[in-house]
Amino acid sequence: MSDQVRLRDVEPVDLEEFFAQEHDPEAVRRSKFPPREREAFMTHWTTKVLGDPTNFVQAVTVDGEVAGNVVAWWDEERRFIGYWLGKQYWGRGIGTRALALFLEREKARPLHADPFVGNTGSVRLLEKHGFRRTETVRYGEHEHILLVLDGHPA
């Protein structure tokens, strides 16, 4: 396996893989993101994610197989970025390559991200790409780190 990482537009069939990835117990534990029931997940993705033309949404593929997704969206005046990779793709540099490709295409700056404080892999990934810690925020009982990428892509 060559681990060739590419980005492409999300296709409807990709949502099945994204749904399965969101329900992986280890991913839920690391992200502190509660998985949605199937109907809520599909509705969210078709209306709020793919249905919002201001979002930039890309599927991550590895050797042609769907590995996850990267999304940029507006939350009021702030542009956020989020991503999700299937567990079998963790620790192989795939997130690093996928995020680099995404940041070349997503031109808005500043960009914000807010991973769970205990998701050290995600925090390191963002910092590797120039995001800097600005503050800690709480979502319910969970503490998250707000990171910001200023400037423009190289």
Side-chain angles (χ1 to χ4, degrees):
M1 191 180 284
S2 66
D3 282 353
Q4 184 176 45
V5 177
R6 295 186 188 274
L7 299 181
R8 64 162 170 75
D9 290 340
V10 172
E11 299 169 1
V13 69
D14 297 337
L15 299 184
E16 294 297 332
E17 183 63 26
F18 298 167
F19 177 76
Q21 291 170 351
E22 184 174 289
H23 281 259
D24 178 86
E26 180 63 11
V28 170
R29 186 188 70 73
R30 288 185 182 203
S31 68
K32 296 297 185 228
F33 187 87
R36 298 174 182 95
E37 293 301 323
R38 180 178 195 72
E39 186 175 331
F41 177 91
M42 295 300 175
T43 299
H44 174 78
W45 265 88
T46 55
T47 62
K48 303 245 184 213
V49 180
L50 297 173
D52 184 338
T54 68
N55 293 344
F56 179 45
V57 186
Q58 294 284 276
V60 177
T61 65
V62 176
D63 297 330
E65 298 294 320
V66 175
N69 62 78
V70 186
V71 181
W73 71 94
W74 289 102
D75 184 354
E76 298 180 10
E77 299 299 315
R78 289 179 169 175
R79 185 82 165 163
F80 274 83
I81 186 172
Y83 44 83
W84 200 282
L85 289 177
K87 185 168 56 176
Q88 68 269 37
Y89 300 102
W90 298 353
R92 294 168 41 189
I94 291 163
T96 299
R97 287 178 271 165
L99 191 53
L101 290 170
F102 190 84
L103 292 173
E104 288 174 6
R105 298 177 187 181
E106 171 59 47
K107 303 299 185 189
R109 300 293 186 270
L111 274 178
H112 299 81
D114 57 357
F116 171 61
V117 70
N119 191 347
T120 55
S122 189
V123 173
R124 279 195 310 265
L125 173 62
L126 291 159
E127 289 177 333
K128 185 185 294 187
H129 287 292
F131 283 78
R132 62 181 172 73
R133 297 173 191 224
T134 60
E135 63 183 293
T136 301
V137 294
R138 292 196 74 79
Y139 299 118
E141 64 188 48
H142 302 294
E143 190 174 302
H144 291 248
I145 299 171
L146 184 66
L147 297 106
V148 178
L149 177 65
D150 292 311
H152 296 282

Short mmCIF file of all heavy atoms in Angstrom, two decimals, residues 53-102:
data_model
loop_
_atom_site.label_atom_id
_atom_site.label_comp_id
_atom_site.label_asym_id
_atom_site.label_seq_id
_atom_site.Cartn_x
_atom_site.Cartn_y
_atom_site.Cartn_z
N PRO A 53 -23.74 26.11 0.84
CA PRO A 53 -22.73 26.44 -0.17
C PRO A 53 -21.53 27.21 0.39
O PRO A 53 -20.50 27.32 -0.30
CB PRO A 53 -23.50 27.28 -1.20
CG PRO A 53 -24.67 27.82 -0.43
CD PRO A 53 -25.00 26.80 0.62
N THR A 54 -21.62 27.71 1.62
CA THR A 54 -20.46 28.41 2.19
C THR A 54 -19.46 27.43 2.82
O THR A 54 -18.36 27.83 3.18
CB THR A 54 -20.88 29.45 3.26
OG1 THR A 54 -21.42 28.78 4.39
CG2 THR A 54 -21.88 30.44 2.67
N ASN A 55 -19.85 26.16 2.95
CA ASN A 55 -18.94 25.15 3.48
C ASN A 55 -18.02 24.65 2.38
O ASN A 55 -18.42 24.58 1.21
CB ASN A 55 -19.71 23.95 4.04
CG ASN A 55 -20.51 24.30 5.27
OD1 ASN A 55 -20.29 25.32 5.90
ND2 ASN A 55 -21.45 23.44 5.61
N PHE A 56 -16.82 24.28 2.76
CA PHE A 56 -15.89 23.61 1.85
C PHE A 56 -15.69 22.22 2.42
O PHE A 56 -15.19 22.07 3.54
CB PHE A 56 -14.57 24.37 1.74
CG PHE A 56 -13.57 23.72 0.84
CD1 PHE A 56 -13.93 23.22 -0.40
CD2 PHE A 56 -12.25 23.61 1.24
CE1 PHE A 56 -13.00 22.62 -1.24
CE2 PHE A 56 -11.30 23.02 0.41
CZ PHE A 56 -11.67 22.53 -0.83
N VAL A 57 -16.13 21.21 1.68
CA VAL A 57 -16.18 19.83 2.18
C VAL A 57 -15.42 18.93 1.22
O VAL A 57 -15.71 18.92 0.02
CB VAL A 57 -17.65 19.35 2.28
CG1 VAL A 57 -17.71 17.97 2.94
CG2 VAL A 57 -18.50 20.35 3.04
N GLN A 58 -14.48 18.16 1.76
CA GLN A 58 -13.70 17.25 0.94
C GLN A 58 -13.61 15.88 1.60
O GLN A 58 -13.46 15.77 2.82
CB GLN A 58 -12.27 17.78 0.76
CG GLN A 58 -12.19 19.08 -0.04
CD GLN A 58 -12.40 18.83 -1.52
OE1 GLN A 58 -11.48 18.49 -2.24
NE2 GLN A 58 -13.63 19.00 -1.98
N ALA A 59 -13.73 14.85 0.78
CA ALA A 59 -13.45 13.49 1.23
C ALA A 59 -11.95 13.27 1.14
O ALA A 59 -11.29 13.74 0.20
CB ALA A 59 -14.18 12.47 0.36
N VAL A 60 -11.40 12.58 2.12
CA VAL A 60 -10.00 12.19 2.10
C VAL A 60 -9.96 10.76 1.60
O VAL A 60 -10.68 9.90 2.12
CB VAL A 60 -9.37 12.26 3.52
CG1 VAL A 60 -7.93 11.77 3.51
CG2 VAL A 60 -9.49 13.66 4.09
N THR A 61 -9.13 10.50 0.59
CA THR A 61 -8.96 9.13 0.13
C THR A 61 -7.50 8.71 0.29
O THR A 61 -6.60 9.54 0.21
CB THR A 61 -9.39 8.95 -1.34
OG1 THR A 61 -8.52 9.70 -2.19
CG2 THR A 61 -10.83 9.38 -1.57
N VAL A 62 -7.32 7.44 0.53
CA VAL A 62 -6.00 6.83 0.61
C VAL A 62 -6.00 5.65 -0.35
O VAL A 62 -6.81 4.73 -0.20
CB VAL A 62 -5.67 6.37 2.05
CG1 VAL A 62 -4.32 5.67 2.09
CG2 VAL A 62 -5.68 7.55 3.00
N ASP A 63 -5.15 5.74 -1.34
CA ASP A 63 -5.10 4.70 -2.38
C ASP A 63 -6.49 4.44 -2.95
O ASP A 63 -6.88 3.30 -3.22
CB ASP A 63 -4.49 3.41 -1.83
CG ASP A 63 -3.04 3.61 -1.39
OD1 ASP A 63 -2.34 4.46 -1.98
OD2 ASP A 63 -2.61 2.92 -0.45
N GLY A 64 -7.27 5.51 -3.10
CA GLY A 64 -8.60 5.42 -3.70
C GLY A 64 -9.72 5.06 -2.75
O GLY A 64 -10.89 5.13 -3.13
N GLU A 65 -9.41 4.66 -1.52
CA GLU A 65 -10.43 4.29 -0.54
C GLU A 65 -10.77 5.49 0.34
O GLU A 65 -9.89 6.25 0.74
CB GLU A 65 -9.93 3.16 0.35
CG GLU A 65 -9.62 1.88 -0.38
CD GLU A 65 -10.86 1.24 -0.98
OE1 GLU A 65 -11.92 1.25 -0.32
OE2 GLU A 65 -10.77 0.74 -2.12
N VAL A 66 -12.05 5.66 0.67
CA VAL A 66 -12.47 6.76 1.53
C VAL A 66 -11.90 6.55 2.93
O VAL A 66 -12.14 5.53 3.56
CB VAL A 66 -14.01 6.87 1.59
CG1 VAL A 66 -14.43 7.96 2.57
CG2 VAL A 66 -14.56 7.16 0.21
N ALA A 67 -11.13 7.54 3.39
CA ALA A 67 -10.48 7.47 4.70
C ALA A 67 -11.11 8.42 5.71
O ALA A 67 -10.93 8.25 6.91
CB ALA A 67 -8.99 7.80 4.57
N GLY A 68 -11.82 9.44 5.23
CA GLY A 68 -12.42 10.42 6.14
C GLY A 68 -12.82 11.67 5.41
O GLY A 68 -13.05 11.65 4.20
N ASN A 69 -12.87 12.78 6.14
CA ASN A 69 -13.30 14.03 5.54
C ASN A 69 -12.65 15.21 6.26
O ASN A 69 -12.20 15.09 7.40
CB ASN A 69 -14.82 14.15 5.58
CG ASN A 69 -15.37 14.16 6.99
OD1 ASN A 69 -15.31 15.17 7.69
ND2 ASN A 69 -15.90 13.01 7.43
N VAL A 70 -12.64 16.34 5.56
CA VAL A 70 -12.20 17.61 6.11
C VAL A 70 -13.23 18.65 5.68
O VAL A 70 -13.65 18.67 4.53
CB VAL A 70 -10.80 18.04 5.61
CG1 VAL A 70 -10.32 19.29 6.33
CG2 VAL A 70 -9.78 16.92 5.73
N VAL A 71 -13.63 19.49 6.63
CA VAL A 71 -14.71 20.46 6.39
C VAL A 71 -14.31 21.81 6.96
O VAL A 71 -13.75 21.89 8.05
CB VAL A 71 -16.02 20.00 7.07
CG1 VAL A 71 -17.14 21.00 6.80
CG2 VAL A 71 -16.42 18.60 6.63
N ALA A 72 -14.61 22.87 6.22
CA ALA A 72 -14.51 24.25 6.74
C ALA A 72 -15.91 24.85 6.68
O ALA A 72 -16.63 24.66 5.70
CB ALA A 72 -13.53 25.07 5.92
N TRP A 73 -16.28 25.57 7.74
CA TRP A 73 -17.61 26.16 7.83
C TRP A 73 -17.54 27.45 8.63
O TRP A 73 -16.59 27.70 9.35
CB TRP A 73 -18.59 25.18 8.48
CG TRP A 73 -18.37 24.96 9.95
CD1 TRP A 73 -18.97 25.61 10.99
CD2 TRP A 73 -17.46 24.04 10.55
NE1 TRP A 73 -18.49 25.15 12.18
CE2 TRP A 73 -17.56 24.18 11.94
CE3 TRP A 73 -16.55 23.09 10.04
CZ2 TRP A 73 -16.80 23.42 12.83
CZ3 TRP A 73 -15.80 22.34 10.93
CH2 TRP A 73 -15.94 22.51 12.30
N TRP A 74 -18.59 28.26 8.48
CA TRP A 74 -18.72 29.50 9.24
C TRP A 74 -19.55 29.26 10.48
O TRP A 74 -20.60 28.63 10.41
CB TRP A 74 -19.36 30.60 8.39
CG TRP A 74 -18.46 31.10 7.32
CD1 TRP A 74 -18.52 30.76 6.00
CD2 TRP A 74 -17.36 31.99 7.46
NE1 TRP A 74 -17.51 31.39 5.32
CE2 TRP A 74 -16.79 32.16 6.19
CE3 TRP A 74 -16.80 32.66 8.56
CZ2 TRP A 74 -15.69 32.97 5.98
CZ3 TRP A 74 -15.70 33.47 8.34
CH2 TRP A 74 -15.16 33.63 7.06
N ASP A 75 -19.08 29.77 11.60
CA ASP A 75 -19.85 29.83 12.84
C ASP A 75 -19.85 31.30 13.23
O ASP A 75 -18.86 31.80 13.79
CB ASP A 75 -19.21 28.97 13.93
CG ASP A 75 -20.03 28.93 15.21
OD1 ASP A 75 -21.04 29.66 15.30
OD2 ASP A 75 -19.65 28.19 16.13
N GLU A 76 -20.94 31.97 12.87
CA GLU A 76 -21.04 33.42 12.98
C GLU A 76 -19.91 34.05 12.17
O GLU A 76 -19.83 33.83 10.98
CB GLU A 76 -21.07 33.84 14.44
CG GLU A 76 -22.29 33.28 15.17
CD GLU A 76 -22.37 33.67 16.62
OE1 GLU A 76 -21.59 34.53 17.08
OE2 GLU A 76 -23.24 33.10 17.31
N GLU A 77 -19.01 34.80 12.81
CA GLU A 77 -17.95 35.49 12.07
C GLU A 77 -16.65 34.69 11.97
O GLU A 77 -15.67 35.18 11.42
CB GLU A 77 -17.66 36.85 12.73
CG GLU A 77 -18.85 37.79 12.74
CD GLU A 77 -19.34 38.14 11.34
OE1 GLU A 77 -18.50 38.44 10.47
OE2 GLU A 77 -20.56 38.09 11.12
N ARG A 78 -16.64 33.49 12.52
CA ARG A 78 -15.42 32.69 12.53
C ARG A 78 -15.52 31.52 11.56
O ARG A 78 -16.53 30.84 11.50
CB ARG A 78 -15.15 32.12 13.92
CG ARG A 78 -14.73 33.13 14.94
CD ARG A 78 -14.51 32.46 16.26
NE ARG A 78 -13.86 33.33 17.21
CZ ARG A 78 -13.63 33.01 18.47
NH1 ARG A 78 -13.98 31.82 18.93
NH2 ARG A 78 -13.03 33.86 19.27
N ARG A 79 -14.44 31.29 10.84
CA ARG A 79 -14.33 30.13 9.94
C ARG A 79 -13.64 29.01 10.72
O ARG A 79 -12.54 29.21 11.26
CB ARG A 79 -13.52 30.51 8.70
CG ARG A 79 -13.44 29.44 7.64
CD ARG A 79 -14.65 29.44 6.77
NE ARG A 79 -14.45 28.67 5.55
CZ ARG A 79 -15.44 28.26 4.80
NH1 ARG A 79 -16.69 28.53 5.14
NH2 ARG A 79 -15.22 27.58 3.72
N PHE A 80 -14.28 27.86 10.80
CA PHE A 80 -13.74 26.71 11.52
C PHE A 80 -13.36 25.61 10.55
O PHE A 80 -13.88 25.54 9.43
CB PHE A 80 -14.78 26.15 12.50
CG PHE A 80 -14.78 26.82 13.83
CD1 PHE A 80 -15.47 28.01 14.02
CD2 PHE A 80 -14.08 26.28 14.90
CE1 PHE A 80 -15.47 28.64 15.26
CE2 PHE A 80 -14.07 26.91 16.14
CZ PHE A 80 -14.76 28.08 16.31
N ILE A 81 -12.48 24.75 11.01
CA ILE A 81 -12.09 23.57 10.26
C ILE A 81 -12.25 22.36 11.19
O ILE A 81 -12.01 22.45 12.39
CB ILE A 81 -10.64 23.70 9.74
CG1 ILE A 81 -10.28 22.52 8.84
CG2 ILE A 81 -9.66 23.83 10.88
CD1 ILE A 81 -8.93 22.70 8.15
N GLY A 82 -12.69 21.26 10.62
CA GLY A 82 -12.80 20.01 11.35
C GLY A 82 -12.50 18.86 10.42
O GLY A 82 -12.59 19.00 9.20
N TYR A 83 -12.14 17.73 10.99
CA TYR A 83 -11.79 16.58 10.17
C TYR A 83 -12.08 15.32 10.96
O TYR A 83 -12.18 15.33 12.19
CB TYR A 83 -10.33 16.62 9.73
CG TYR A 83 -9.38 17.01 10.84
CD1 TYR A 83 -8.92 16.07 11.75
CD2 TYR A 83 -9.01 18.34 11.00
CE1 TYR A 83 -8.10 16.44 12.79
CE2 TYR A 83 -8.18 18.72 12.04
CZ TYR A 83 -7.73 17.76 12.93
OH TYR A 83 -6.93 18.14 13.97
N TRP A 84 -12.18 14.23 10.22
CA TRP A 84 -12.42 12.93 10.84
C TRP A 84 -11.78 11.89 9.94
O TRP A 84 -12.03 11.87 8.74
CB TRP A 84 -13.93 12.67 10.93
CG TRP A 84 -14.29 11.64 11.94
CD1 TRP A 84 -14.17 10.29 11.80
CD2 TRP A 84 -14.82 11.87 13.24
NE1 TRP A 84 -14.60 9.66 12.93
CE2 TRP A 84 -15.02 10.62 13.84
CE3 TRP A 84 -15.16 13.01 13.96
CZ2 TRP A 84 -15.53 10.46 15.11
CZ3 TRP A 84 -15.67 12.85 15.22
CH2 TRP A 84 -15.86 11.59 15.80
N LEU A 85 -10.95 11.06 10.52
CA LEU A 85 -10.34 9.95 9.79
C LEU A 85 -10.72 8.65 10.46
O LEU A 85 -10.79 8.58 11.69
CB LEU A 85 -8.81 10.06 9.78
CG LEU A 85 -8.18 11.15 8.93
CD1 LEU A 85 -6.68 11.14 9.10
CD2 LEU A 85 -8.55 10.99 7.46
N GLY A 86 -10.93 7.62 9.65
CA GLY A 86 -11.18 6.30 10.19
C GLY A 86 -9.96 5.82 10.98
O GLY A 86 -8.82 6.16 10.64
N LYS A 87 -10.20 5.06 12.02
CA LYS A 87 -9.14 4.63 12.94
C LYS A 87 -8.00 3.91 12.22
O LYS A 87 -6.84 4.06 12.60
CB LYS A 87 -9.73 3.74 14.03
CG LYS A 87 -8.75 3.34 15.10
CD LYS A 87 -9.38 2.71 16.32
CE LYS A 87 -10.22 1.51 15.99
NZ LYS A 87 -10.74 0.86 17.19
N GLN A 88 -8.30 3.15 11.19
CA GLN A 88 -7.24 2.42 10.48
C GLN A 88 -6.26 3.35 9.77
O GLN A 88 -5.20 2.90 9.32
CB GLN A 88 -7.83 1.38 9.52
CG GLN A 88 -8.56 1.97 8.33
CD GLN A 88 -10.04 2.18 8.55
OE1 GLN A 88 -10.47 2.54 9.65
NE2 GLN A 88 -10.84 1.96 7.53
N TYR A 89 -6.58 4.64 9.70
CA TYR A 89 -5.71 5.61 9.03
C TYR A 89 -4.92 6.48 10.02
O TYR A 89 -4.15 7.34 9.61
CB TYR A 89 -6.54 6.48 8.08
CG TYR A 89 -7.22 5.66 7.02
CD1 TYR A 89 -8.57 5.34 7.11
CD2 TYR A 89 -6.49 5.16 5.94
CE1 TYR A 89 -9.18 4.56 6.15
CE2 TYR A 89 -7.10 4.38 4.97
CZ TYR A 89 -8.45 4.08 5.08
OH TYR A 89 -9.04 3.30 4.13
N TRP A 90 -5.11 6.27 11.30
CA TRP A 90 -4.41 7.06 12.30
C TRP A 90 -2.94 6.64 12.37
O TRP A 90 -2.58 5.48 12.14
CB TRP A 90 -5.01 6.86 13.68
CG TRP A 90 -6.44 7.28 13.84
CD1 TRP A 90 -7.22 7.94 12.94
CD2 TRP A 90 -7.27 7.03 14.98
NE1 TRP A 90 -8.48 8.13 13.46
CE2 TRP A 90 -8.54 7.58 14.70
CE3 TRP A 90 -7.07 6.42 16.20
CZ2 TRP A 90 -9.59 7.54 15.61
CZ3 TRP A 90 -8.11 6.36 17.11
CH2 TRP A 90 -9.35 6.92 16.82
N GLY A 91 -2.09 7.60 12.71
CA GLY A 91 -0.68 7.32 12.99
C GLY A 91 0.16 6.97 11.77
O GLY A 91 1.25 6.43 11.92
N ARG A 92 -0.33 7.30 10.60
CA ARG A 92 0.40 6.98 9.36
C ARG A 92 0.78 8.22 8.57
O ARG A 92 1.24 8.12 7.45
CB ARG A 92 -0.46 6.05 8.49
CG ARG A 92 -0.66 4.70 9.15
CD ARG A 92 -1.72 3.82 8.49
NE ARG A 92 -1.76 3.81 7.05
CZ ARG A 92 -2.74 3.22 6.35
NH1 ARG A 92 -3.73 2.61 6.98
NH2 ARG A 92 -2.73 3.23 5.03
N GLY A 93 0.55 9.42 9.14
CA GLY A 93 0.86 10.65 8.44
C GLY A 93 -0.21 11.09 7.46
O GLY A 93 -0.06 12.09 6.76
N ILE A 94 -1.31 10.36 7.42
CA ILE A 94 -2.38 10.66 6.48
C ILE A 94 -3.08 11.97 6.83
O ILE A 94 -3.36 12.79 5.96
CB ILE A 94 -3.35 9.47 6.38
CG1 ILE A 94 -2.62 8.32 5.69
CG2 ILE A 94 -4.64 9.85 5.67
CD1 ILE A 94 -3.24 6.97 5.85
N GLY A 95 -3.35 12.18 8.12
CA GLY A 95 -3.96 13.43 8.55
C GLY A 95 -3.08 14.62 8.20
O GLY A 95 -3.58 15.66 7.75
N THR A 96 -1.77 14.47 8.38
CA THR A 96 -0.84 15.55 8.04
C THR A 96 -0.93 15.90 6.56
O THR A 96 -1.04 17.07 6.19
CB THR A 96 0.60 15.13 8.41
OG1 THR A 96 0.65 14.90 9.82
CG2 THR A 96 1.60 16.20 8.02
N ARG A 97 -0.90 14.89 5.71
CA ARG A 97 -0.96 15.14 4.26
C ARG A 97 -2.32 15.68 3.84
O ARG A 97 -2.40 16.60 3.03
CB ARG A 97 -0.61 13.87 3.50
CG ARG A 97 0.90 13.59 3.60
CD ARG A 97 1.29 12.31 2.90
NE ARG A 97 1.16 11.24 3.89
CZ ARG A 97 1.13 9.96 3.60
NH1 ARG A 97 1.20 9.55 2.36
NH2 ARG A 97 1.02 9.05 4.56
N ALA A 98 -3.39 15.12 4.40
CA ALA A 98 -4.73 15.58 4.03
C ALA A 98 -4.95 17.03 4.45
O ALA A 98 -5.48 17.83 3.67
CB ALA A 98 -5.79 14.68 4.67
N LEU A 99 -4.52 17.38 5.66
CA LEU A 99 -4.72 18.75 6.12
C LEU A 99 -3.87 19.73 5.30
O LEU A 99 -4.33 20.82 4.97
CB LEU A 99 -4.40 18.86 7.61
CG LEU A 99 -4.82 20.16 8.28
CD1 LEU A 99 -6.29 20.50 8.05
CD2 LEU A 99 -4.52 20.10 9.78
N ALA A 100 -2.67 19.34 4.93
CA ALA A 100 -1.84 20.20 4.07
C ALA A 100 -2.53 20.46 2.74
O ALA A 100 -2.58 21.61 2.27
CB ALA A 100 -0.46 19.57 3.85
N LEU A 101 -3.08 19.43 2.13
CA LEU A 101 -3.79 19.60 0.86
C LEU A 101 -5.02 20.49 1.03
O LEU A 101 -5.28 21.37 0.20
CB LEU A 101 -4.24 18.23 0.32
CG LEU A 101 -3.14 17.31 -0.17
CD1 LEU A 101 -3.70 15.91 -0.44
CD2 LEU A 101 -2.46 17.87 -1.41
N PHE A 102 -5.74 20.29 2.12
CA PHE A 102 -6.94 21.09 2.37
C PHE A 102 -6.59 22.56 2.58
O PHE A 102 -7.26 23.45 2.04
CB PHE A 102 -7.68 20.53 3.59
CG PHE A 102 -9.04 21.13 3.79
CD1 PHE A 102 -10.14 20.62 3.11
CD2 PHE A 102 -9.24 22.19 4.65
CE1 PHE A 102 -11.42 21.16 3.29
CE2 PHE A 102 -10.50 22.74 4.84
CZ PHE A 102 -11.59 22.22 4.15
#
